[in-house]
Amino acid sequence: LYIANYRNAMLTVIDGATNSVITTVAVDSSPIALAYNPTYNKIYCANFARNNVTVIDGATNSVIGTVGVDVQPCALVVDGRGNVAVANRFLGRLTVINGQNQAVIITVDVGTESWALAYNEVDQRIYVANSGSNNIAVIRGDNYQLVGGINVGLQPRSLTWAGWVDKLYCANYNGGSVSLIDCANNSVLKTLTAGDNPIALCTNSSDSKVYVANYNSGTVTIIGSSGFDRR
């Protein structure tokens, strides 16, 4: 298990079998997000204040290198090609890093205040939640080109893809809602009521549910895939 410690520019590595700390890894200022790349056994750390991403060897927990991206990287996702997409909040850009050699493949303008990412394995799409422009940018996974946008609620700040129904869920932080999106045609099917300031999402494929953490109401909203209703 890898933990980003935002205040001290370190990652903590914990043994999953014993729940003991194995080591700490020095990264750069304000590490805010992590992603694991199973294709190349690497861990990526977005360093918000330094505009870069630290790449770590999963076998040795040693730093391989640091990749310069754009301004205020705050979210990461690994795509089906083993490359890493980085959402850069300040200028609303997406950077794609080659998973094999750490080279920057492309940087794409996607919106305003890019905040969160999700990857769709079925349709090979990368989704970027733009909190400032209240929409989701849709990026092709084969050539990393912007192919469309989806208008959602106010300040979208979290995304999760439910593979069992090929639907995308978007938490709208200032709207108290979750947008349910049909990935086949990139359209909003419905808007579900959540709690105050929904800020995080996760899926449970075993039980076909989506969980929504509501920052200012001290609750979790549970959404079931049967009819996509709030429970």
Side-chain angles (χ1 to χ4, degrees):
L1 178 68
Y2 294 83
I3 302 169
N5 302 296
Y6 185 82
R7 296 294 182 187
N8 67 1
M10 302 286 288
L11 300 187
T12 301
V13 186
I14 296 174
D15 188 310
T18 64
N19 294 322
S20 59
V21 174
I22 299 172
T23 188
T24 56
V25 182
V27 288
D28 217 325
S29 297
S30 306
I32 196 171
L34 295 168
Y36 173 65
N37 189 336
T39 303
Y40 299 106
N41 191 24
K42 295 174 183 177
I43 298 94
Y44 300 82
C45 176
N47 302 304
F48 187 78
R50 291 289 188 170
N51 307 328
N52 60 30
V53 172
T54 302
V55 185
I56 298 161
D57 188 313
T60 63
N61 293 316
S62 59
V63 173
I64 298 171
T66 302
V67 183
V69 287
D70 217 282
V71 184
Q72 295 181 344
C74 64
L76 302 163
V77 72
V78 178
D79 68 17
R81 300 166 65 185
N83 296 326
V84 183
V86 186
N88 303 290
R89 190 189 73 86
F90 185 70
L91 294 177
R93 291 172 179 164
L94 182 77
T95 302
V96 181
I97 299 171
N98 187 304
Q100 184 175 23
N101 60 19
Q102 286 71 252
V104 172
I105 297 172
I106 193 171
T107 298
V108 184
D109 290 320
V110 290
T112 305
E113 292 187 16
S114 303
W115 204 282
L117 295 169
Y119 178 67
N120 181 332
E121 298 174 6
V122 172
D123 301 307
Q124 296 182 10
R125 295 287 188 266
I126 298 168
Y127 304 100
V128 189
N130 300 305
S131 182
S133 49
N134 302 323
N135 66 1
I136 297 170
V138 184
I139 308 292
R140 286 182 53 165
D142 58 346
N143 60 12
Y144 304 116
Q145 297 300 306
L146 178 67
V147 293
I150 307 166
N151 293 324
V152 289
L154 298 177
Q155 295 185 332
R157 291 189 177 177
S158 184
L159 297 171
T160 191
W161 177 67
W164 62 93
V165 287
D166 193 21
K167 300 294 187 293
L168 182 71
Y169 292 79
C170 172
N172 304 303
Y173 181 79
N174 210 28
S177 65
V178 174
S179 299
L180 171 62
I181 296 160
D182 187 339
C183 295
N185 56 24
N186 295 323
S187 64
V188 176
L189 290 172
K190 62 171 62 177
T191 301
L192 304 170
T193 301
D196 294 336
N197 303 119
I199 197 169
L201 296 165
C202 72
T203 57
N204 181 341
S205 58
S206 297
D207 293 329
S208 301
K209 292 184 175 67
V210 175
Y211 298 85
V212 188
N214 302 303
Y215 186 77
N216 275 320
S217 60
T219 62
V220 172
T221 301
I222 304 172
I223 300 169
S225 68
S226 177
F228 313 111
D229 293 326
R230 181 174 177 269
R231 295 182 179 180

